[in-house]
Amino acid sequence: MAGAAAEQRRLATVVESWLGRPVLIVGDAMLDEWRFADSDRLCREAPAPVLTLRRRISAAGGAANTAVNVATLGGRAVLVAPVGADVAGDELHDCLDRAGVWDRTVSQPGRPTPVKRRMLAGNQILLREDSGDPDDALDPDGVSRLLTALDCATEELRAAAGGEAPTLVVCDYGLGALPAPVRAWLVAQRERYATVALDAHDLADWRGLAPTVVTPSFAEATRLLARAGGASRPTGGTDLHLEHPDSDPTDGPSELTVGAAPGGTHTDSTAHTDGAAHTDSAAQTDGTAPGFVRADAPGRAAGISADRLGPVGEPTASEGRVAFTGDGLSVTGTGVTVNTEAGAGVDRAVLAESRLAELHAHTGADVVAVTLDTEGAVVGGADGERRRSHSTPVPASHAVGAGDAYLAAMTLALAADAPLPTAAQLAQLAATITVSDTGTCVCLRDDLLAALDMRPETGGHPALVGTDELDAIVAAHREAGRSVVFTNGCFDVLHRGHVRYLEQARALGDLLIVAVNSDGSVRRLKGPDRPVNPVEDRGALLAALSCVDHVVIFEEDSPAALIEAVRPDVYVKGGDYPPELVPEAPLVRRLGGQVRTLGYVPDRSTSAIIERIRSHSQDASPHATDREPDAASSQAQVSMPDTSLSTGTQPASAPPTGSSTTTRPS
């Protein structure tokens, strides 16, 4: 147990170390749209369900979701990408704003923002509609403005980081955001970035970039190997044999065929009965070595019956087809077919690990992480170090964007000089904890630390802080792009109304700071018989609430000095009066913040609770006020902290991080 706790602390230290790290993300940004509907009947016109739309959510997708994950994990994320001057583009800007991403996207009138629209019923995706064509290329002016934005964003990040070279993340999903001139510019400017991460559908387009890390999927890795060519040879340490055609066929891209090594005898009776290729005469008639299975299409994967086949994957941009067999053992993409069932007992992880050296050579990357969907990933360093990570199988609708979370965490960890095993472990953990529900995956830094059994303040920021510490803490959160909520009060007898109030206040931003009046301040405000509980007890109870991030004690009667120091994005007060009547409102607005008031909860005031306690004490003994309180009554008082704030029943709604509705905030 001690060893496990030490390991968790070590991982948490890495998460803390990347806080505020500058990261520039460039590539194909898109909007993910989720439409949740109910269906209880079929329509009369066709055997199709009748849907009633109940809810709609928009979220950042592609490179934009990678930027959101970098920001929510604690990095300083800047996104440069072409975005259409349309409604989808407006929604995407809104998603970036909510997540704290520095939006340096370039407007492209006439070129629509790519959108993936999913319609669900009963939490099951019924259909997906994609808009945005890779043939919608950037015009010369668009390319020029994109390059200018890249140059400016790089210098902006460098200046904000005190001259430190930023990290670069390239997300090339074949939607046209990274044409040849942009790729050439990034290759030529490679020395301006300390760490470079590359996630590309076609890695061959990025020769010369020399990335720090590449994160291809299994299909993308096999496609690169197929196109790289090379003589047929057994792979060391396995019984696999991969054959590359001498040249690309005239009707499409190269094909990579994986099967049993020459001389193998793997067979399956279904291969002889359903017309699939098999390992004897059929293999020899098409010119392959005896015992070698050639899988020319998903329907001809050896050893798999026809009723187990069928495309459950999806075409990606610029690809003719991508399909998985029902058991996940075969994949085809752009004419690349991989059938690992032909190699008895061999899975995709073993195959990927056997080819890591070639992937290093073909990409020039220091680290290669081959992602295997719900099977985890295989990660290898240039020095031969290997790491195998595992994941928990989940429905496909839960895993949308999990690769973006993986890429963001891997990049931040490597940029923070974490060892490869640590980076791989944190990346897999970030991807795994995001897949608990339907929607686009976003990993929060707090959730990652919670998965390590660590509070977000692990690394030197306790919940109860002094005024001297507060400046540094707020500055660190600002660098991470987080919004700060601030409130203050006496909090003498903590009750349910206060807890509800603080929960609502926390929902208005990413961080809640509670300022508590000192004992002397409370006496001046409330009278000589207050506070009931000393400030040490009041502060400790507030710090124990999960909705409170930091507690600070102040001596003054007004929190004005703290407001000046914190410069909150949102200042919250309890009361059923309009924000304009809050005394601190002019100061908060001058500093660029908003003022919110949350109404009272009936019969939940501190004074009323104290009066009830005193009334009960008097009822118990007519002389109770003439003698010292006994131990029991003293203990009862100490156990009930207080504040002058009471809370309201109007919950403050806050959309999920990185998601939005169609309207942008003012």
Side-chain angles (χ1 to χ4, degrees), residues 3-63:
E7 173 68 6
Q8 289 175 328
R9 285 194 296 271
R10 186 180 64 81
L11 293 172
T13 299
V14 174
V15 177
E16 293 292 346
S17 71
W18 72 44
L19 190 64
R21 189 163 293 274
V23 182
L24 171 62
I25 300 95
V26 59
D28 293 299
M30 63 190 75
L31 185 74
D32 278 350
E33 182 180 301
W34 299 82
R35 293 173 175 259
F36 298 87
D38 292 337
S39 177
D40 55 10
R41 59 193 176 92
L42 297 178
C43 70
R44 298 175 59 185
E45 297 85 2
V50 176
L51 303 177
T52 303
L53 184 64
R54 298 301 185 191
R55 185 164 55 105
R56 175 183 175 275
I57 295 176
S58 294

Short mmCIF file of all heavy atoms in Angstrom, two decimals, residues 3-63:
data_model
loop_
_atom_site.label_atom_id
_atom_site.label_comp_id
_atom_site.label_asym_id
_atom_site.label_seq_id
_atom_site.Cartn_x
_atom_site.Cartn_y
_atom_site.Cartn_z
N GLY A 3 3.82 1.60 -1.22
CA GLY A 3 4.41 1.77 -2.54
C GLY A 3 3.42 2.36 -3.53
O GLY A 3 3.78 3.21 -4.34
N ALA A 4 2.16 1.90 -3.47
CA ALA A 4 1.14 2.43 -4.37
C ALA A 4 0.88 3.91 -4.09
O ALA A 4 0.71 4.71 -5.01
CB ALA A 4 -0.16 1.62 -4.21
N ALA A 5 0.85 4.28 -2.81
CA ALA A 5 0.63 5.69 -2.46
C ALA A 5 1.77 6.56 -2.96
O ALA A 5 1.56 7.67 -3.45
CB ALA A 5 0.46 5.83 -0.94
N ALA A 6 2.99 6.05 -2.84
CA ALA A 6 4.15 6.80 -3.32
C ALA A 6 4.10 6.99 -4.84
O ALA A 6 4.44 8.05 -5.36
CB ALA A 6 5.45 6.09 -2.91
N GLU A 7 3.66 5.94 -5.55
CA GLU A 7 3.53 6.02 -7.00
C GLU A 7 2.48 7.05 -7.39
O GLU A 7 2.66 7.84 -8.33
CB GLU A 7 3.16 4.65 -7.56
CG GLU A 7 2.83 4.62 -9.05
CD GLU A 7 4.04 4.89 -9.93
OE1 GLU A 7 5.17 4.98 -9.39
OE2 GLU A 7 3.87 5.02 -11.15
N GLN A 8 1.36 7.07 -6.67
CA GLN A 8 0.32 8.05 -6.96
C GLN A 8 0.81 9.47 -6.71
O GLN A 8 0.52 10.38 -7.49
CB GLN A 8 -0.93 7.74 -6.12
CG GLN A 8 -1.66 6.49 -6.57
CD GLN A 8 -2.82 6.14 -5.66
OE1 GLN A 8 -2.78 6.40 -4.47
NE2 GLN A 8 -3.85 5.55 -6.21
N ARG A 9 1.57 9.65 -5.64
CA ARG A 9 2.11 10.98 -5.36
C ARG A 9 3.09 11.41 -6.46
O ARG A 9 3.13 12.58 -6.86
CB ARG A 9 2.81 10.99 -4.00
CG ARG A 9 1.84 11.00 -2.81
CD ARG A 9 2.56 11.35 -1.53
NE ARG A 9 3.56 10.36 -1.16
CZ ARG A 9 3.33 9.29 -0.43
NH1 ARG A 9 2.09 9.06 0.02
NH2 ARG A 9 4.28 8.44 -0.13
N ARG A 10 3.86 10.46 -6.96
CA ARG A 10 4.82 10.77 -8.02
C ARG A 10 4.08 11.20 -9.28
O ARG A 10 4.47 12.17 -9.95
CB ARG A 10 5.70 9.55 -8.30
CG ARG A 10 6.81 9.80 -9.29
CD ARG A 10 7.64 8.54 -9.50
NE ARG A 10 6.86 7.48 -10.10
CZ ARG A 10 6.61 7.40 -11.42
NH1 ARG A 10 7.07 8.34 -12.24
NH2 ARG A 10 5.90 6.40 -11.89
N LEU A 11 3.02 10.48 -9.64
CA LEU A 11 2.24 10.84 -10.82
C LEU A 11 1.56 12.20 -10.63
O LEU A 11 1.50 13.01 -11.55
CB LEU A 11 1.20 9.76 -11.10
CG LEU A 11 1.74 8.39 -11.54
CD1 LEU A 11 0.61 7.37 -11.58
CD2 LEU A 11 2.41 8.48 -12.89
N ALA A 12 1.04 12.44 -9.42
CA ALA A 12 0.39 13.72 -9.15
C ALA A 12 1.37 14.87 -9.26
O ALA A 12 1.02 15.97 -9.70
CB ALA A 12 -0.26 13.69 -7.77
N THR A 13 2.61 14.63 -8.88
CA THR A 13 3.64 15.67 -8.99
C THR A 13 3.86 16.07 -10.45
O THR A 13 4.06 17.25 -10.76
CB THR A 13 4.97 15.18 -8.38
OG1 THR A 13 4.76 14.88 -7.00
CG2 THR A 13 6.05 16.23 -8.50
N VAL A 14 3.81 15.09 -11.35
CA VAL A 14 3.95 15.40 -12.78
C VAL A 14 2.78 16.24 -13.26
O VAL A 14 2.95 17.21 -14.00
CB VAL A 14 4.07 14.09 -13.60
CG1 VAL A 14 4.07 14.41 -15.09
CG2 VAL A 14 5.32 13.33 -13.21
N VAL A 15 1.56 15.88 -12.82
CA VAL A 15 0.37 16.66 -13.20
C VAL A 15 0.50 18.10 -12.72
O VAL A 15 0.16 19.04 -13.44
CB VAL A 15 -0.91 16.00 -12.65
CG1 VAL A 15 -2.14 16.84 -12.97
CG2 VAL A 15 -1.07 14.59 -13.21
N GLU A 16 1.00 18.27 -11.51
CA GLU A 16 1.19 19.63 -10.99
C GLU A 16 2.27 20.37 -11.77
O GLU A 16 2.17 21.58 -11.99
CB GLU A 16 1.58 19.57 -9.51
CG GLU A 16 0.49 19.06 -8.59
CD GLU A 16 -0.68 20.01 -8.48
OE1 GLU A 16 -0.54 21.17 -8.90
OE2 GLU A 16 -1.74 19.59 -7.98
N SER A 17 3.29 19.65 -12.22
CA SER A 17 4.43 20.31 -12.87
C SER A 17 4.07 20.88 -14.24
O SER A 17 4.76 21.77 -14.73
CB SER A 17 5.60 19.33 -13.01
OG SER A 17 5.32 18.33 -13.99
N TRP A 18 3.02 20.36 -14.87
CA TRP A 18 2.69 20.89 -16.20
C TRP A 18 1.67 22.04 -16.13
O TRP A 18 1.23 22.55 -17.16
CB TRP A 18 2.22 19.80 -17.13
CG TRP A 18 0.86 19.19 -16.90
CD1 TRP A 18 -0.31 19.84 -16.62
CD2 TRP A 18 0.51 17.80 -17.01
NE1 TRP A 18 -1.36 18.94 -16.54
CE2 TRP A 18 -0.88 17.68 -16.77
CE3 TRP A 18 1.24 16.64 -17.29
CZ2 TRP A 18 -1.55 16.46 -16.80
CZ3 TRP A 18 0.57 15.43 -17.31
CH2 TRP A 18 -0.80 15.34 -17.07
N LEU A 19 1.29 22.46 -14.93
CA LEU A 19 0.33 23.55 -14.79
C LEU A 19 0.85 24.81 -15.47
O LEU A 19 1.95 25.29 -15.18
CB LEU A 19 0.08 23.82 -13.30
CG LEU A 19 -1.07 24.77 -12.96
CD1 LEU A 19 -2.40 24.18 -13.39
CD2 LEU A 19 -1.08 25.07 -11.47
N GLY A 20 0.06 25.35 -16.39
CA GLY A 20 0.42 26.58 -17.09
C GLY A 20 1.41 26.40 -18.22
O GLY A 20 1.84 27.39 -18.82
N ARG A 21 1.75 25.16 -18.57
CA ARG A 21 2.73 24.95 -19.63
C ARG A 21 2.15 25.39 -20.98
O ARG A 21 1.04 25.04 -21.33
CB ARG A 21 3.13 23.47 -19.69
CG ARG A 21 4.32 23.18 -20.61
CD ARG A 21 4.90 21.83 -20.31
NE ARG A 21 5.51 21.81 -18.99
CZ ARG A 21 6.75 22.19 -18.71
NH1 ARG A 21 7.53 22.65 -19.68
NH2 ARG A 21 7.22 22.11 -17.50
N PRO A 22 2.90 26.18 -21.77
CA PRO A 22 2.37 26.72 -23.03
C PRO A 22 2.31 25.68 -24.14
O PRO A 22 3.31 25.02 -24.44
CB PRO A 22 3.36 27.84 -23.37
CG PRO A 22 4.65 27.40 -22.74
CD PRO A 22 4.27 26.66 -21.49
N VAL A 23 1.15 25.54 -24.77
CA VAL A 23 0.95 24.55 -25.83
C VAL A 23 0.19 25.19 -26.99
O VAL A 23 -0.90 25.74 -26.78
CB VAL A 23 0.18 23.31 -25.32
CG1 VAL A 23 0.04 22.28 -26.44
CG2 VAL A 23 0.86 22.69 -24.11
N LEU A 24 0.75 25.11 -28.17
CA LEU A 24 0.09 25.58 -29.39
C LEU A 24 -0.47 24.38 -30.14
O LEU A 24 0.26 23.44 -30.45
CB LEU A 24 1.09 26.32 -30.28
CG LEU A 24 0.62 26.71 -31.69
CD1 LEU A 24 -0.56 27.66 -31.62
CD2 LEU A 24 1.76 27.34 -32.49
N ILE A 25 -1.78 24.40 -30.40
CA ILE A 25 -2.44 23.32 -31.12
C ILE A 25 -2.86 23.85 -32.49
O ILE A 25 -3.48 24.92 -32.59
CB ILE A 25 -3.68 22.80 -30.35
CG1 ILE A 25 -3.28 22.27 -28.97
CG2 ILE A 25 -4.38 21.70 -31.15
CD1 ILE A 25 -3.42 23.30 -27.87
N VAL A 26 -2.54 23.10 -33.53
CA VAL A 26 -2.89 23.51 -34.88
C VAL A 26 -3.47 22.31 -35.62
O VAL A 26 -3.01 21.17 -35.43
CB VAL A 26 -1.67 24.07 -35.64
CG1 VAL A 26 -0.55 23.05 -35.73
CG2 VAL A 26 -2.05 24.55 -37.05
N GLY A 27 -4.48 22.55 -36.45
CA GLY A 27 -5.02 21.43 -37.23
C GLY A 27 -6.49 21.56 -37.54
O GLY A 27 -7.05 22.66 -37.57
N ASP A 28 -7.12 20.42 -37.75
CA ASP A 28 -8.53 20.35 -38.15
C ASP A 28 -9.44 20.49 -36.94
O ASP A 28 -9.58 19.56 -36.15
CB ASP A 28 -8.81 19.03 -38.87
CG ASP A 28 -8.09 18.93 -40.20
OD1 ASP A 28 -8.36 19.76 -41.07
OD2 ASP A 28 -7.25 18.01 -40.36
N ALA A 29 -10.04 21.66 -36.79
CA ALA A 29 -11.00 21.89 -35.71
C ALA A 29 -12.40 21.63 -36.26
O ALA A 29 -12.72 21.96 -37.40
CB ALA A 29 -10.89 23.31 -35.19
N MET A 30 -13.24 21.04 -35.43
CA MET A 30 -14.61 20.74 -35.85
C MET A 30 -15.54 20.89 -34.67
O MET A 30 -15.11 21.06 -33.51
CB MET A 30 -14.69 19.33 -36.43
CG MET A 30 -14.37 18.23 -35.45
SD MET A 30 -14.19 16.60 -36.24
CE MET A 30 -12.59 16.76 -37.02
N LEU A 31 -16.83 20.84 -34.94
CA LEU A 31 -17.85 20.90 -33.91
C LEU A 31 -18.53 19.54 -33.79
O LEU A 31 -18.94 18.96 -34.79
CB LEU A 31 -18.89 21.96 -34.25
CG LEU A 31 -19.97 22.21 -33.18
CD1 LEU A 31 -19.38 22.96 -32.00
CD2 LEU A 31 -21.16 22.98 -33.76
N ASP A 32 -18.61 19.04 -32.56
CA ASP A 32 -19.38 17.82 -32.28
C ASP A 32 -20.76 18.22 -31.78
O ASP A 32 -20.88 18.99 -30.82
CB ASP A 32 -18.69 16.98 -31.20
CG ASP A 32 -17.57 16.12 -31.76
OD1 ASP A 32 -17.45 16.03 -32.99
OD2 ASP A 32 -16.81 15.54 -30.96
N GLU A 33 -21.78 17.71 -32.44
CA GLU A 33 -23.15 18.02 -32.03
C GLU A 33 -23.85 16.72 -31.63
O GLU A 33 -23.84 15.75 -32.38
CB GLU A 33 -23.91 18.71 -33.16
CG GLU A 33 -25.33 19.11 -32.78
CD GLU A 33 -26.05 19.79 -33.93
OE1 GLU A 33 -25.56 20.83 -34.40
OE2 GLU A 33 -27.09 19.26 -34.36
N TRP A 34 -24.44 16.74 -30.44
CA TRP A 34 -25.14 15.56 -29.91
C TRP A 34 -26.61 15.92 -29.75
O TRP A 34 -26.95 16.87 -29.04
CB TRP A 34 -24.56 15.14 -28.56
CG TRP A 34 -23.11 14.77 -28.63
CD1 TRP A 34 -22.03 15.61 -28.62
CD2 TRP A 34 -22.58 13.45 -28.73
NE1 TRP A 34 -20.86 14.89 -28.70
CE2 TRP A 34 -21.17 13.56 -28.77
CE3 TRP A 34 -23.15 12.17 -28.78
CZ2 TRP A 34 -20.32 12.46 -28.86
CZ3 TRP A 34 -22.32 11.08 -28.87
CH2 TRP A 34 -20.93 11.22 -28.90
N ARG A 35 -27.49 15.16 -30.41
CA ARG A 35 -28.92 15.37 -30.30
C ARG A 35 -29.56 14.15 -29.64
O ARG A 35 -29.51 13.05 -30.18
CB ARG A 35 -29.54 15.60 -31.69
CG ARG A 35 -29.10 16.90 -32.35
CD ARG A 35 -29.59 17.00 -33.78
NE ARG A 35 -29.28 18.28 -34.38
CZ ARG A 35 -30.14 19.28 -34.51
NH1 ARG A 35 -31.40 19.11 -34.11
NH2 ARG A 35 -29.79 20.42 -35.06
N PHE A 36 -30.13 14.37 -28.47
CA PHE A 36 -30.73 13.28 -27.69
C PHE A 36 -32.24 13.31 -27.89
O PHE A 36 -32.89 14.34 -27.67
CB PHE A 36 -30.39 13.43 -26.22
CG PHE A 36 -28.91 13.35 -25.93
CD1 PHE A 36 -28.12 14.49 -25.99
CD2 PHE A 36 -28.31 12.15 -25.63
CE1 PHE A 36 -26.76 14.43 -25.74
CE2 PHE A 36 -26.95 12.07 -25.38
CZ PHE A 36 -26.17 13.21 -25.43
N ALA A 37 -32.78 12.19 -28.31
CA ALA A 37 -34.21 12.12 -28.64
C ALA A 37 -34.86 10.92 -27.96
O ALA A 37 -34.18 10.00 -27.49
CB ALA A 37 -34.39 12.02 -30.15
N ASP A 38 -36.17 10.96 -27.90
CA ASP A 38 -36.98 9.82 -27.45
C ASP A 38 -37.66 9.20 -28.66
O ASP A 38 -37.99 9.89 -29.63
CB ASP A 38 -38.05 10.26 -26.45
CG ASP A 38 -37.45 10.73 -25.14
OD1 ASP A 38 -36.31 10.32 -24.84
OD2 ASP A 38 -38.12 11.50 -24.43
N SER A 39 -37.87 7.90 -28.60
CA SER A 39 -38.56 7.20 -29.68
C SER A 39 -39.35 6.04 -29.10
O SER A 39 -38.80 5.21 -28.38
CB SER A 39 -37.56 6.69 -30.72
OG SER A 39 -38.22 5.97 -31.73
N ASP A 40 -40.66 6.01 -29.41
CA ASP A 40 -41.49 4.91 -28.91
C ASP A 40 -42.36 4.30 -30.01
O ASP A 40 -43.25 3.51 -29.74
CB ASP A 40 -42.37 5.39 -27.75
CG ASP A 40 -43.22 6.60 -28.11
OD1 ASP A 40 -43.27 6.95 -29.31
OD2 ASP A 40 -43.83 7.19 -27.20
N ARG A 41 -42.11 4.68 -31.28
CA ARG A 41 -42.90 4.10 -32.36
C ARG A 41 -42.16 4.25 -33.69
O ARG A 41 -41.19 5.00 -33.79
CB ARG A 41 -44.27 4.79 -32.46
CG ARG A 41 -44.19 6.29 -32.72
CD ARG A 41 -45.54 6.98 -32.50
NE ARG A 41 -45.45 8.42 -32.65
CZ ARG A 41 -45.67 9.08 -33.78
NH1 ARG A 41 -46.01 8.41 -34.88
NH2 ARG A 41 -45.57 10.39 -33.83
N LEU A 42 -42.61 3.52 -34.67
CA LEU A 42 -42.07 3.62 -36.02
C LEU A 42 -42.97 4.50 -36.87
O LEU A 42 -44.18 4.58 -36.64
CB LEU A 42 -41.96 2.23 -36.65
CG LEU A 42 -41.01 1.24 -35.97
CD1 LEU A 42 -41.06 -0.10 -36.69
CD2 LEU A 42 -39.60 1.78 -35.94
N CYS A 43 -42.39 5.12 -37.86
CA CYS A 43 -43.20 5.96 -38.74
C CYS A 43 -43.94 5.10 -39.75
O CYS A 43 -43.57 3.95 -40.01
CB CYS A 43 -42.32 7.00 -39.44
SG CYS A 43 -41.21 6.32 -40.69
N ARG A 44 -44.99 5.64 -40.33
CA ARG A 44 -45.82 4.88 -41.27
C ARG A 44 -45.15 4.75 -42.62
O ARG A 44 -45.42 3.83 -43.37
CB ARG A 44 -47.17 5.58 -41.43
CG ARG A 44 -47.98 5.66 -40.14
CD ARG A 44 -49.25 6.47 -40.33
NE ARG A 44 -50.09 5.89 -41.37
CZ ARG A 44 -51.22 6.45 -41.81
NH1 ARG A 44 -51.59 7.62 -41.32
NH2 ARG A 44 -51.93 5.86 -42.77
N GLU A 45 -44.26 5.69 -42.96
CA GLU A 45 -43.70 5.72 -44.30
C GLU A 45 -42.59 4.69 -44.51
O GLU A 45 -42.32 4.28 -45.64
CB GLU A 45 -43.14 7.12 -44.60
CG GLU A 45 -44.18 8.22 -44.60
CD GLU A 45 -44.44 8.75 -43.20
OE1 GLU A 45 -43.77 8.26 -42.26
OE2 GLU A 45 -45.32 9.62 -43.05
N ALA A 46 -41.95 4.28 -43.42
CA ALA A 46 -40.81 3.37 -43.54
C ALA A 46 -40.53 2.76 -42.17
O ALA A 46 -40.98 3.29 -41.15
CB ALA A 46 -39.57 4.13 -44.04
N PRO A 47 -39.82 1.64 -42.15
CA PRO A 47 -39.47 1.03 -40.85
C PRO A 47 -38.37 1.83 -40.16
O PRO A 47 -37.23 1.36 -39.99
CB PRO A 47 -39.00 -0.37 -41.25
CG PRO A 47 -38.47 -0.21 -42.63
CD PRO A 47 -39.35 0.82 -43.28
N ALA A 48 -38.70 3.05 -39.79
CA ALA A 48 -37.74 3.94 -39.15
C ALA A 48 -38.38 4.53 -37.91
O ALA A 48 -39.59 4.78 -37.87
CB ALA A 48 -37.33 5.06 -40.12
N PRO A 49 -37.59 4.77 -36.86
CA PRO A 49 -38.17 5.31 -35.62
C PRO A 49 -38.57 6.77 -35.78
O PRO A 49 -37.94 7.54 -36.50
CB PRO A 49 -37.03 5.16 -34.61
CG PRO A 49 -35.79 5.16 -35.44
CD PRO A 49 -36.15 4.48 -36.72
N VAL A 50 -39.64 7.15 -35.10
CA VAL A 50 -40.05 8.54 -35.00
C VAL A 50 -39.35 9.13 -33.78
O VAL A 50 -39.47 8.61 -32.67
CB VAL A 50 -41.57 8.67 -34.85
CG1 VAL A 50 -41.96 10.13 -34.66
CG2 VAL A 50 -42.27 8.09 -36.07
N LEU A 51 -38.60 10.22 -33.98
CA LEU A 51 -37.78 10.79 -32.92
C LEU A 51 -38.36 12.11 -32.44
O LEU A 51 -38.81 12.93 -33.24
CB LEU A 51 -36.35 11.02 -33.41
CG LEU A 51 -35.62 9.78 -33.96
CD1 LEU A 51 -34.24 10.18 -34.47
CD2 LEU A 51 -35.51 8.71 -32.89
N THR A 52 -38.34 12.31 -31.14
CA THR A 52 -38.73 13.58 -30.52
C THR A 52 -37.51 14.16 -29.83
O THR A 52 -37.00 13.58 -28.86
CB THR A 52 -39.86 13.39 -29.50
OG1 THR A 52 -40.98 12.77 -30.14
CG2 THR A 52 -40.27 14.72 -28.90
N LEU A 53 -36.99 15.27 -30.34
CA LEU A 53 -35.77 15.86 -29.82
C LEU A 53 -36.00 16.41 -28.41
O LEU A 53 -36.93 17.16 -28.18
CB LEU A 53 -35.28 16.98 -30.74
CG LEU A 53 -33.95 17.64 -30.37
CD1 LEU A 53 -32.82 16.63 -30.47
CD2 LEU A 53 -33.68 18.84 -31.28
N ARG A 54 -35.15 16.00 -27.47
CA ARG A 54 -35.27 16.44 -26.09
C ARG A 54 -34.12 17.36 -25.65
O ARG A 54 -34.32 18.24 -24.83
CB ARG A 54 -35.28 15.22 -25.15
CG ARG A 54 -36.45 14.28 -25.36
CD ARG A 54 -37.77 14.98 -25.16
NE ARG A 54 -38.90 14.06 -25.26
CZ ARG A 54 -40.16 14.44 -25.34
NH1 ARG A 54 -40.46 15.73 -25.35
NH2 ARG A 54 -41.13 13.55 -25.42
N ARG A 55 -32.94 17.14 -26.20
CA ARG A 55 -31.78 17.90 -25.72
C ARG A 55 -30.72 17.96 -26.81
O ARG A 55 -30.58 17.01 -27.59
CB ARG A 55 -31.21 17.22 -24.47
CG ARG A 55 -30.08 17.96 -23.79
CD ARG A 55 -29.87 17.41 -22.37
NE ARG A 55 -29.65 15.99 -22.37
CZ ARG A 55 -28.45 15.41 -22.16
NH1 ARG A 55 -27.39 16.18 -21.96
NH2 ARG A 55 -28.32 14.11 -22.15
N ARG A 56 -29.99 19.05 -26.86
CA ARG A 56 -28.93 19.21 -27.84
C ARG A 56 -27.69 19.78 -27.15
O ARG A 56 -27.79 20.74 -26.39
CB ARG A 56 -29.38 20.14 -28.97
CG ARG A 56 -28.31 20.48 -29.99
CD ARG A 56 -28.86 21.47 -31.01
NE ARG A 56 -27.83 21.91 -31.94
CZ ARG A 56 -26.97 22.90 -31.71
NH1 ARG A 56 -27.03 23.55 -30.55
NH2 ARG A 56 -26.08 23.25 -32.60
N ILE A 57 -26.54 19.20 -27.43
CA ILE A 57 -25.27 19.65 -26.85
C ILE A 57 -24.26 19.83 -27.96
O ILE A 57 -24.17 19.01 -28.87
CB ILE A 57 -24.73 18.62 -25.82
CG1 ILE A 57 -25.67 18.52 -24.62
CG2 ILE A 57 -23.34 19.02 -25.34
CD1 ILE A 57 -25.25 17.46 -23.62
N SER A 58 -23.51 20.92 -27.89
CA SER A 58 -22.41 21.15 -28.82
C SER A 58 -21.10 21.09 -28.05
O SER A 58 -21.02 21.58 -26.92
CB SER A 58 -22.55 22.51 -29.52
OG SER A 58 -23.70 22.52 -30.34
N ALA A 59 -20.08 20.53 -28.67
CA ALA A 59 -18.77 20.41 -28.02
C ALA A 59 -17.68 20.57 -29.07
O ALA A 59 -17.90 20.32 -30.26
CB ALA A 59 -18.63 19.06 -27.31
N ALA A 60 -16.52 21.00 -28.62
CA ALA A 60 -15.37 21.10 -29.51
C ALA A 60 -14.94 19.71 -29.95
O ALA A 60 -14.98 18.76 -29.17
CB ALA A 60 -14.23 21.82 -28.80
N GLY A 61 -14.52 19.59 -31.20
CA GLY A 61 -14.07 18.30 -31.72
C GLY A 61 -12.75 18.43 -32.46
O GLY A 61 -12.32 19.53 -32.83
N GLY A 62 -12.10 17.31 -32.69
CA GLY A 62 -10.84 17.30 -33.42
C GLY A 62 -9.76 18.08 -32.70
O GLY A 62 -9.56 17.94 -31.49
N ALA A 63 -9.04 18.93 -33.44
CA ALA A 63 -7.98 19.73 -32.84
C ALA A 63 -8.52 20.63 -31.74
O ALA A 63 -7.83 20.91 -30.75
CB ALA A 63 -7.29 20.57 -33.92
#
